[in-house]
C-alpha cells in the first residue's frame, strides 16, 4: 500500500469530499478519552503523588526489581522462542503443502480466542509433576510448573500467534523471481535464504517479537496458575501489583503499573518505528 | 500506512502458493519435512495439548458429572453475567471500531499515528492494570468514588465495572481489524457514490460495509471471545460475589479453588468451545469467501 | 458479488443481532435491580466457602421463620487481604468475616466504614469460632514430620500461602515464629532465623490458602502443608483419606478469624437489622453446631455435636498477642512493607 502523497500540512485535516469526519473522529476521540486515556491518566496521577524519587524507590526495591526482572526477562526469552518457532510455522504454512495444513493454520490463532484462565489451569494440569508432560519432564529432572520455566511456557503460548501472524503475510508476498534469480546466479539455497529472503522479513519478525514481548510482560491469568509465585524467583510484576493492592499499598501498585505502562508504550512506539523504518527501507510493512 | 496490525490476527485470503518440490526456490525434501515436523510438534505441544487437556479433564468423570457443573445456580448466573457483559461490550466496541476506522482510514489528518498507537495501548496494558485503573477512578478511595457513593451509584464490584474493564481489554479489536481493510480499499468508491448523489450514510452502507463485512464479522467474533474470556481485569473489579459478579472465567477459578476440578474444567470447556467456534468460523470465512476477501484487498 | 452471498450476509447479520437480543432478554433485568427482597453480602476469606454455604442457608431459614421475610445472603471469597481491599474500595458488604483481625482493623482505619472498637461489639472478641494450624502430610508421613521443628529438615518441602495476601499464610508464619520463640527461650532473633529457614523450604507461595491446598493435594508438590485445621480435614474428606494424613503439632497457634459489621454500608443500604441478626446468628446453637461440623472450633462448644468436637484434637495453643503485643504491632512488625517477612525473603534469596 502506498503512502498518500505528502502535501504541505498546513491544516489539521486535508480536505475530502467524504463526509462524517467530524462525527466519527469526535466520537472515536471521546470514547478513547473516556475509556482509555482518562483512567490511565488517573493511574499516572496516583503514581505521580509519590514523585519521581518515590517511583524510583518502588522500582528499585529488591522485590519489585526482581519481579520486573522476571516479567521482562522471561518475556524476552519467551518472545525470542516464539519468534523462532513462529517463523518456522509461518514458513511451513505458506511455503509447503501438506495434509492438514489448514487446520494447523487455524490452530495458530487459538491463544487469541482461548481465555487466559482456561489456558492457565490447562497448562498447570499438563506441566505439574503429576501431569501428562510434567511427569515426563520430572523423569529428566526438569521441573516445569511452579518455576520460571512454567512462566516461560505460558508466555510462549500467548505470544506465538503474534510471531506467526506478523510474518506470514510477508512470506506470501515475497517475489519468487528474486529467489529464482538468486538460484540461477549460483547461490545455494541457504545462501539465498539468508541473504535474499530473510532481510526484508526482519522488520516483521521484530514487530512480532515486540508484540509477543508486550503481551508476555503484562500477562496474568494464565501465569498465576502455573508460576510458583515465589518472591525473587517466580513472582511476576502483575502479581506484585495484586499483592500491593491486598496490602492497601495503592501508591506502590500504581508505581509498578506506571512503570509497566511506560514500557508498554515504548514497545508500541518501537513497533511503529520499526514499521516506519521498514517502509522506507523496503517500501512495505 | 502504518496499520498492518498484528494486534489482532487479520482475516486474510489463505496463503496459497504453488509450490513444487522440484522448484529451485524451495528446500530439499528432508529439510521440508523436518521443518513441517518441527512446526507441527511445537504447535501440538504448546497449543493443542492444553486445549485437549481441558476437554479430557472436563469429561474425566463422565457426562453426568460434566452436565452437573451447569445445573448449579452460581454457574447459570455466571453464564448470564458473561452474556450481558459481552452483549454490551461487543456492540460498543463495534460502533467505536467502525467510527474510528472511518475517521482514520478515509481521512488524512495530523497525529494519526499517535491516535492509532493510543487505540493499540489497551492491548499491551497488563490486564491487572486495566482493572486497577477503574478502581482508581470509581473505587471508594478513587477520584470519582466518593461522589458516586453520594449518588448511590455502584460502578466497580458491579456490572458496570465489569463491562468497562471488558470494553477496555477488547478495545482495539474491531478498530484494528478494520483500519487496514478500509485503508486498502481507498476512498475512490465512496467518492463515486457520493458524486452520484448518495448520502454519506448510504455510501457507507452500500459501498464500504460490503467491502469490510468479513473482517467486521470476524473481528466481532474475536472481540466476543475475548470479552467472554477476560480474567485478569475483571478479577480486579469484580469483588467475586457469588451469583452476582462472577463471570465464567472467574467461576472457573472458584470451582478450581473448591477442589471441584471436573466442574472447573467443564465450565472451562464451554469457553474453550467458544474459542474453537471462533476459529472454525474464521477458517470457514477465509475458505468460503477467499475470492471476496482477496478481491476486497486488491480493489484499490 | 453474487446475490446469494449478499443474502447470506444479511441473514448472518440478523442472526447475530438476534442472538444478542436473545441473550439480553433471557438474562432478564440486571441481577442487582431484580432483587426487591433483602439481601446481605458477607465478604469472607478463602476456606470458608463450604461453611458459609450452610450458615447462609440456615440463617435464611430462621429469618423466614421469625420475620416472614425472604432473605438472601450472598458470599464473596478470596484471600483475606484482597477481600479487605475490596471492602475498602467500596464493595457493598454488610458484614465481613475475615481470616485475621488486622484485616478488619485495616478496613476500619482506611475506609472508616467499621467502628474501630469492633472487637468489643460481639461476644468473645468478635470471634464466633476459632481455629488453629495443623499439618497435612502425604499418607504414612514419609518424611516423619511431627512438629514445627521438622519443617526445616533439609529434604522437607513446605507448601504455604503468601503471608502478604493470605490470612492462613500469616497464621502459619506466626505459628512457626511462636513455636521457635518458646523453644529458644523467648529469643526473638532465633525465632526470626527459624522462620527464615522455614521459608527457604517453600517452593511455591500461592496467594490464598486454597491455592496452596490445590498445589499440595492436586498437583502433588511438597511434603507438608501447614494449614487451617478446618482446611486439613476438608482435604481429607475431598481427596480421600488414603492419600493424606493429618499431623497435629505439639503446640500451635490460637487462630482468630473475626467478624464485624460494616456500619457505613448497612446504614446506607438500610440492612442494619438483618446484618446484626446475621452476626448474632453466628453465636446461635445452630451456627455453632455448623462450625464444629466444618471442623472449626466453636466459641460455645456446648452447642455443638460431641462427635464433631471429638475430631478436634487437643493441642497446646498459644496466643500471638501474648508474645508480640497488640495487632497493630503484629501486622506492622511482620507483614507490612519492610517487615520481617520482607527482610527474610530478601535475605533468603
Amino acid at each position: 500500500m502506498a503512502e498518500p502523497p505528502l502535501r504541505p500540512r498546513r491544516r489539521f485535516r486535508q480536505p475530502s469530499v467524504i463526509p462524517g469526519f467530524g462525527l466519527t473522529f469526535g466520537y472515536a476521540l471521546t470514547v478513547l478519552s473516556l475509556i482509555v486515556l482518562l483512567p490511565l491518566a488517573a493511574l499516572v496521577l496516583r503514581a505521580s503523588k509519590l514523585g519521581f524519587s518515590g517511583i524510583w524507590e518502588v522500582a528499585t526495591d529488591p522485590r519489585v526489581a526482581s519481579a520486573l526482572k522476571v516479567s521482562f526477562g522471561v518475556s524476552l526469552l519467551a518472545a525470542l522462542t516464539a519468534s523462532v518457532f513462529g517463523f518456522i510455522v509461518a514458513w511451513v504454512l505458506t511455503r509447503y503443502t501438506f495434509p492438514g495444513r489448514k487446520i494447523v493454520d487455524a490452530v495458530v490463532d487459538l491463544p487469541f480466542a482461548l481465555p487466559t484462565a482456561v489456558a492457565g489451569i490447562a497448562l498447570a494440569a499438563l506441566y505439574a509433576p503429576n501431569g501428562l508432560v510434567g511427569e515426563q519432564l520430572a523423569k529428566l529432572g526438569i521441573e516445569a510448573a511452579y518455576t520460571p520455566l512454567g512462566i516461560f511456557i505460558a508466555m510462549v503460548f500467548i505470544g506465538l500467534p503474534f510471531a506467526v501472524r506478523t510474518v506470514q503475510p510477508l512470506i506470501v508476498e515475497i517475489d519468487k523471481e528474486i529467489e529464482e534469480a538468486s538460484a540461477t546466479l549460483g547461490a545455494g539455497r541457504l545462501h539465498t535464504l539468508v541473504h535474499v529472503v530473510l532481510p526484508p522479513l526482519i522488520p516483521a519478525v521484530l514487530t512480532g517479537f515486540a508484540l509477543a514481548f508486550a503481551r508476555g510482560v503484562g500477562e496474568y491469568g494464565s501465569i498465576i496458575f502455573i508460576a510458583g509465585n515465589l518472591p525473587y524467583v517466580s513472582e511476576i510484576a502483575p502479581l506484585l501489583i495484586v499483592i500491593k493492592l491486598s496490602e492497601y499499598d495503592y501508591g506502590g501498585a500504581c508505581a509498578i503499573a506506571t512503570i509497566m505502562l511506560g514500557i508498554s508504550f515504548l514497545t508500541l512506539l518501537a513497533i511503529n518505528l520499526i514499521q516506519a523504518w521498514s517502509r522506507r527501507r523496503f517500501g512495505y510493512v | 500506512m502504518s496499520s498492518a496490525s498484528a494486534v489482532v490476527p487479520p482475516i486474510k485470503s489463505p496463503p496459497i502458493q504453488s509450490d513444487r518440490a522440484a522448484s529451485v526456490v524451495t528446500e530439499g525434501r528432508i529439510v521440508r519435512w523436518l521443518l513441517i515436523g518441527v512446526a507441527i510438534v511445537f504447535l501440538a505441544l504448546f497449543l493443542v495439548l492444553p486445549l485437549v487437556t481441558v476437554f479430557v479433564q472436563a469429561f474425566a468423570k463422565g457426562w453426568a458429572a460434566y452436565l452437573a457443573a451447569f445445573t448449579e445456580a452460581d454457574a447459570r448466573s455466571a453464564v448470564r453475567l458473561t452474556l450481558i457483559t459481552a452483549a454490551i461490550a461487543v456492540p460498543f466496541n463495534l460502533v467505536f471500531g467502525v467510527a474510528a476506522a472511518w475517521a482514520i482510514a478515509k481521512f488524512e489528518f495530523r497525529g494519526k499515528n499517535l491516535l492509532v498507537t493510543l487505540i493499540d495501548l489497551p492491548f499491551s496494558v497488563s490486564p491487572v492494570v486495566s482493572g486497577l485503573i477503574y478502581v482508581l477512578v470509581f473505587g471508594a478511595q478513587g477520584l470519582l468514588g466518593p461522589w458516586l457513593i453520594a449518588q448511590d451509584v455502584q460502578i466497580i464490584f458491579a456490572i458496570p465495572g465489569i463491562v468497562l474493564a471488558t470494553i477496555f481489554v477488547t478495545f482495539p479489536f474491531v478498530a484494528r481489524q478494520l483500519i487496514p481493510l478500509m485503508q486498502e480499499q481507498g476512498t475512490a468508491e465512496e467518492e463515486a457514490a457520493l458524486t452520484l448523489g448518495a448520502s454519506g450514510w448510504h455510501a457507507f452502507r452500500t459501498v464500504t460495509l460490503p467491502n469490510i463485512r468479513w473482517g467486521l464479522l470476524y473481528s466481532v467474533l474475536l472481540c466476543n471471545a475475548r470479552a467472554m474470556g477476560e480474567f485478569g481485569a475483571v478479577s480486579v473489579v469484580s469483588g467475586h460475589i457469588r451469583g452476582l459478579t462472577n463471570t465464567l472465567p472467574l467461576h472457573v477459578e472458584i470451582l478450581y479453588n473448591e477442589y471441584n476440578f471436573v466442574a472447573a474444567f467443564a465450565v472451562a470447556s464451554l469457553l474453550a468451545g467458544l474459542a474453537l467456534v471462533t476459529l472454525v468460523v474464521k477458517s470457514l470465512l477465509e475458505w468460503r469467501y477467499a475470492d471476496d476477501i482477496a478481491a476486497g484487498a486488491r480493489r484499490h | 458479488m453474487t446475490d446469494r452471498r449478499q443474502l447470506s450476509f444479511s441473514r448472518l447479520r440478523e442472526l447475530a443481532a438476534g442472538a444478542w437480543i436473545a441473550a439480553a432478554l433471557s438474562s432478564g433485568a440486571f441481577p442487582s435491580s431484580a432483587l426487591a427482597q433483602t439481601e446481605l453480602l458477607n465478604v469472607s476469606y478463602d476456606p470458608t466457602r463450604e461453611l458459609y454455604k450452610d450458615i447462609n442457608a440456615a440463617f435464611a431459614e430462621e429469618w423466614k421463620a421469625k420475620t416472614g421475610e425472604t432473605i438472601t445472603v450472598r458470599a464473596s471469597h478470596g484471600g483475606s487481604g484482597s477481600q479487605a481491599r475490596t471492602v475498602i474500595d467500596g464493595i457493598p458488604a454488610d458484614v465481613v468475616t475475615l481470616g485475621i483481625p488486622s484485616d478488619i482493623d485495616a478496613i476500619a482505619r482506611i475506609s472508616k466504614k467499621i467502628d474501630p472498637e469492633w472487637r468489643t461489639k460481639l461476644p468473645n472478641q468478635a470471634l464466633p469460632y476459632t481455629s488453629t494450624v495443623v499439618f497435612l502430610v502425604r499418607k504414612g508421613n514419609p518424611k516423619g514430620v511431627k512438629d514445627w521443628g521438622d519443617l526445616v529438615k533439609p529434604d522437607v518441602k513446605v507448601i504455604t500461602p503468601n503471608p502478604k495476601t493470605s490470612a492462613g499464610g500469616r497464621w502459619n508464619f506466626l505459628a512457626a515464629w511462636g513455636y521457635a520463640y518458646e523453644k529458644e527461650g523467648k529469643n526473638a532473633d532465633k525465632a526470626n532465623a527459624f522462620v527464615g529457614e522455614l521459608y527457604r523450604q517453600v517452593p511455591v507461595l500461592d496467594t490464598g490458602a486454597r491455592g496452596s491446598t490445590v498445589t499440595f493435594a492436586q498437583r502433588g508438590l511438597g511434603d507438608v502443608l501447614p494449614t487451617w485445621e478446618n482446611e486439613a480435614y476438608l482435604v481429607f474428606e475431598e481427596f480421600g483419606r488414603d492419600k493424606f494424613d493429618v499431623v497435629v503439632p505439639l503446640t500451635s497457634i490460637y487462630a482468630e478469624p473475626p467478624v464485624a459489621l460494616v456500619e457505613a454500608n448497612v446504614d446506607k443500604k438500610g440492612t442494619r437489622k438483618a446484618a446484626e441478626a446475621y452476626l448474632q446468628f453466628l453465636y446461635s446453637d445452630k451456627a455453632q453446631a455448623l462450625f464444629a461440623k466444618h471442623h472449626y472450633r466453636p466459641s460455645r462448644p456446648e452447642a455443638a455435636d460431641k462427635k464433631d468436637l471429638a475430631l478436634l484434637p487437643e493441642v497446646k495453643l498459644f496466643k500471638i498477642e501474648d508474645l508480640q503485643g497488640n495487632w497493630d504491632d503484629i501486622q506492622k512488625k511482620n507483614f507490612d512493607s519492610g517487615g520481617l517477612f520482607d527482610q527474610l525473603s530478601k535475605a533468603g534469596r
Side-chain angles (χ1 to χ4, degrees):
Chain A
M1 25 183 167
E3 183 86 53
L6 279 172
R7 280 173 244 162
R9 288 184 174 180
R10 248 175 264 112
R11 54 183 101 198
F12 165 62
R13 174 172 74 91
Q14 292 170 28
S16 162
V17 297
I18 295 177
F21 177 77
L23 180 70
T24 54
F25 181 80
Y27 176 76
L29 199 64
T30 310
V31 169
L32 178 74
S33 306
L34 288 178
I35 300 280
V36 179
L37 302 182
L38 285 179
L40 284 175
L43 172 78
V44 178
L45 186 75
R46 187 72 180 74
S48 68
K49 278 187 194 162
L50 297 175
F52 183 75
S53 62
I55 295 178
W56 182 250
E57 209 171 285
V58 173
T60 50
D61 170 77
R63 181 149 173 226
V64 176
S66 148
L68 287 170
K69 225 183 289 169
V70 169
S71 270
F72 285 101
V74 178
S75 184
L76 260 170
L77 284 179
L80 206 63
T81 311
S83 293
V84 170
F85 283 94
F87 187 87
I88 296 175
V89 170
W91 184 263
V92 163
L93 283 176
T94 40
R95 283 306 182 94
Y96 309 149
T97 46
F98 55 93
R101 197 194 59 173
K102 276 186 185 143
I103 297 172
V104 174
D105 190 54
V107 160
V108 170
D109 281 337
L110 186 69
F112 276 129
L114 195 69
T116 52
V118 175
I121 61 170
L123 289 172
L126 265 181
Y127 288 92
N130 58 8
L132 195 64
V133 180
E135 207 170 2
Q136 303 309 314
L137 290 176
K139 280 180 195 158
L140 303 169
I142 303 171
E143 286 178 57
Y146 314 116
T147 65
L149 185 59
I151 303 175
F152 171 81
I153 291 167
M155 283 181 176
V156 171
F157 176 87
I158 56 158
L160 189 71
F162 300 105
V164 178
R165 294 301 187 220
T166 42
V167 184
Q168 207 174 1
L170 290 190
I171 300 181
V172 178
E173 280 180 23
I174 295 173
D175 192 350
K176 285 207 170 176
E177 280 173 20
I178 300 173
E179 286 174 68
E180 275 164 16
S182 169
T184 317
L185 292 171
R189 184 63 190 155
L190 192 65
H191 188 88
T192 306
L193 282 181
V194 173
H195 294 278
V196 179
V197 176
L198 211 51
L201 296 178
I202 285 174
V205 172
L206 284 178
T207 304
F209 172 83
L211 284 168
F213 171 72
R215 258 326 280 273
V217 168
E219 180 55 18
Y220 176 72
S222 58
I223 294 177
I224 50 159
F225 289 100
I226 196 175
N229 306 328
L230 271 189
Y232 302 103
V233 180
S234 51
E235 190 173 66
I236 54 168
L239 176 69
L240 203 54
I241 294 178
V242 172
I243 290 177
K244 290 266 177 210
L245 275 182
S246 308
E247 295 172 18
Y248 329 114
D249 181 2
Y250 293 78
C254 290
I256 303 173
T258 305
I259 294 165
M260 294 183 67
L261 187 68
I263 293 170
S264 312
F265 190 74
L266 287 181
T267 313
L268 281 181
L269 207 65
I271 294 170
N272 277 351
L273 289 177
I274 292 168
Q275 291 187 337
W277 169 73
S278 119
R279 265 199 306 281
R280 279 199 305 277
R281 175 83 170 69
F282 301 105
Y284 56 83
V285 188
Chain B
M1 255 326 291
S2 68
S3 322
S5 170
V7 168
V8 291
I11 191 158
K12 62 196 185 315
S13 46
I16 299 162
Q17 292 200 338
S18 55
D19 161 56
R20 293 291 156 260
S23 164
V24 290
V25 295
T26 188
E27 294 70 47
R29 178 181 289 270
I30 296 170
V31 176
R32 256 189 303 152
W33 284 105
L34 205 68
L35 286 178
I36 292 173
V38 168
I40 290 180
V41 168
F42 182 81
L43 291 177
L45 206 63
F46 273 84
L47 304 191
V48 180
L49 210 52
L51 185 69
V52 173
T53 306
V54 172
F55 289 97
V56 168
Q57 300 267 359
F59 289 104
K61 291 194 180 143
W63 264 103
Y66 180 82
L67 291 176
F70 301 106
T71 55
E72 215 200 337
D74 284 350
R76 283 206 302 272
S77 98
V79 169
R80 195 166 53 214
L81 177 59
T82 302
L83 288 176
I84 292 174
T85 306
I88 302 172
V90 174
F92 185 94
N93 277 340
L94 175 66
V95 173
F96 166 77
V98 171
W102 182 265
I104 289 166
K106 303 291 181 191
F107 299 92
E108 285 309 316
F109 55 91
R110 282 197 216 179
K112 191 194 262 192
N113 278 331
L114 179 67
L115 185 63
V116 173
T117 306
L118 289 177
I119 292 175
D120 274 348
L121 200 55
F123 157 84
S124 66
V125 169
S126 174
V128 170
V129 178
S130 318
L132 171 67
I133 56 176
Y134 290 108
V135 172
L136 290 174
V137 175
F138 299 113
Q141 313 291 316
L143 293 177
L144 302 179
W147 183 79
L148 286 168
I149 289 168
Q151 311 301 311
D152 217 2
V153 176
Q154 184 83 29
I155 302 274
I156 54 167
F157 310 125
I159 293 174
I162 294 170
V163 170
L164 274 174
T166 305
I167 289 176
F168 185 93
V169 290
T170 54
F171 198 71
F173 276 69
V174 177
R176 286 306 252 142
Q177 181 77 256
L178 294 188
I179 291 168
L181 270 178
M182 282 197 189
Q183 273 175 338
E184 290 193 11
Q185 278 147 9
T187 53
E189 287 181 51
E190 283 86 358
E191 279 164 10
L194 292 163
T195 319
L196 293 174
S199 70
W201 173 243
H202 190 74
F204 171 74
R205 265 189 41 217
T206 53
V207 179
T208 316
L209 201 56
N211 281 337
I212 59 167
R213 55 190 177 168
W214 303 121
L216 191 65
L217 179 62
Y218 173 58
S219 67
V220 163
L221 275 171
L222 201 66
C223 181
N224 186 55
R226 279 303 297 270
M228 292 191 172
E230 178 51 29
F231 174 79
V234 172
S235 168
V236 176
V237 296
S238 139
H240 307 98
I241 308 172
R242 292 175 150 252
L244 213 57
T245 62
N246 279 320
T247 60
L248 277 175
L250 297 179
H251 192 58
V252 170
E253 192 204 15
I254 284 182
L255 291 168
Y256 189 77
N257 278 338
E258 284 176 3
Y259 317 130
N260 199 343
F261 300 108
V262 168
F265 279 101
V267 176
S269 77
L270 201 66
L271 290 164
L274 179 73
L276 279 180
V277 168
T278 307
L279 298 189
V280 167
V281 172
K282 185 199 178 194
S283 302
L284 283 180
L285 285 179
E286 285 176 349
W287 171 68
R288 175 73 180 73
Y289 297 102
D291 307 343
D292 231 24
I293 295 166
R298 251 179 251 121
R299 204 170 302 243
H300 58 120
Chain C
M1 85 209 59
T2 66
D3 287 337
R4 188 176 45 74
R5 281 183 191 172
Q6 182 84 57
L7 198 68
S8 75
F9 176 63
S10 61
R11 196 178 294 151
L12 257 173
R13 198 168 45 184
E14 278 161 24
L15 266 176
W20 264 319
I21 293 165
L25 284 180
S26 69
S27 58
F30 287 5
S32 53
S33 61
L35 298 151
Q37 38 153 312
T38 320
E39 188 171 295
L40 291 182
L41 175 60
N42 173 2
V43 169
S44 192
Y45 60 114
D46 224 358
T48 54
R49 298 153 191 265
E50 294 76 14
L51 170 72
Y52 279 111
K53 245 182 218 169
D54 285 1
I55 295 260
N56 294 348
F59 174 70
E61 202 178 290
E62 198 188 87
W63 187 256
K64 179 103 190 169
K66 267 193 187 155
T67 65
E69 288 170 35
T70 307
I71 193 164
T72 312
V73 185
R74 299 215 178 258
S76 163
H77 298 274
S80 191
S82 348
Q83 292 295 87
R85 195 275 296 171
T86 63
V87 178
I88 291 169
D89 278 332
I91 201 169
D94 299 279
V95 300
V96 287
T97 55
L98 295 178
I100 198 159
S102 49
D103 282 333
I104 299 186
D105 284 338
I107 300 173
R109 191 180 66 243
I110 300 171
S111 77
K112 317 256 187 278
K113 283 183 179 168
I114 293 176
D115 190 323
E117 296 302 315
W118 58 272
R119 292 208 81 168
T120 61
K121 305 268 163 168
L122 288 162
N124 195 33
Q125 293 257 304
L127 297 167
Y129 62 87
T130 59
S131 188
T132 187
V133 176
V134 299
F135 303 152
L136 199 67
V137 297
R138 312 246 167 240
K139 191 73 197 169
N141 195 1
K143 296 280 164 88
V145 175
K146 295 217 162 48
D147 201 3
W148 291 97
D150 298 322
L151 299 188
V152 297
K153 281 202 264 179
D155 61 334
V156 173
K157 282 213 166 78
V158 183
I159 305 293
T160 177
N162 192 334
K164 292 268 189 177
T165 49
S166 156
R170 269 173 271 173
W171 289 118
N172 289 352
F173 183 98
L174 295 173
W177 190 91
Y179 155 84
Y181 184 70
E182 293 291 347
K183 185 168 170 279
E184 302 290 351
K186 307 212 184 282
N187 182 327
D189 288 339
K190 282 189 177 161
N192 294 351
F194 172 81
V195 176
E197 214 177 315
L198 195 160
Y199 276 82
R200 273 193 284 283
Q201 315 270 59
V202 177
V204 184
L205 274 183
D206 288 288
T207 45
R210 272 299 153 95
S212 286
T213 316
V214 170
T215 303
F216 180 80
Q218 176 76 359
R219 301 283 161 247
L221 234 75
D223 304 303
V224 50
L225 176 82
T227 187
W228 294 100
E229 185 176 42
N230 48 286
E231 188 75 356
Y233 286 103
L234 183 75
V235 173
F236 224 47
E237 285 159 12
E238 288 279 333
F239 290 87
R241 287 158 193 274
D242 51 336
K243 287 196 192 134
F244 306 102
D245 281 325
V246 172
V247 171
V248 180
L250 299 176
T251 61
S252 195
I253 196 159
Y254 177 74
E256 306 165 57
V259 303
L261 185 73
V262 188
E263 315 251 357
N265 288 353
V266 294
D267 285 343
K268 195 160 174 320
K269 290 164 72 181
T271 48
R272 179 179 275 271
K273 212 178 107 216
E276 278 175 347
Y278 180 77
L279 289 177
Q280 288 301 334
F281 176 77
L282 298 180
Y283 293 89
S284 71
D285 288 0
K286 202 182 254 170
Q288 291 288 317
L290 282 173
F291 290 138
K293 186 176 153 233
H294 286 276
H295 311 294
Y296 296 85
R297 298 179 174 231
S299 61
R300 291 175 44 236
E302 65 277 10
D305 191 331
K306 293 270 177 311
K307 264 189 298 187
D308 292 331
L309 291 178
L311 289 173
L312 301 169
E314 290 278 325
V315 198
K316 207 181 129 215
L317 298 178
F318 60 85
K319 272 193 180 178
I320 193 67
E321 289 115 306
D322 296 341
L323 309 183
Q324 292 199 353
N326 68 35
W327 271 104
D328 273 353
D329 288 345
I330 294 170
Q331 173 68 25
K332 231 175 261 155
K333 210 158 67 184
N334 296 288
F335 307 119
D336 277 358
S337 218
L340 181 58
F341 178 73
D342 280 350
Q343 293 162 22
L344 292 174
S345 31
K346 202 186 284 184
R349 77 193 147 121

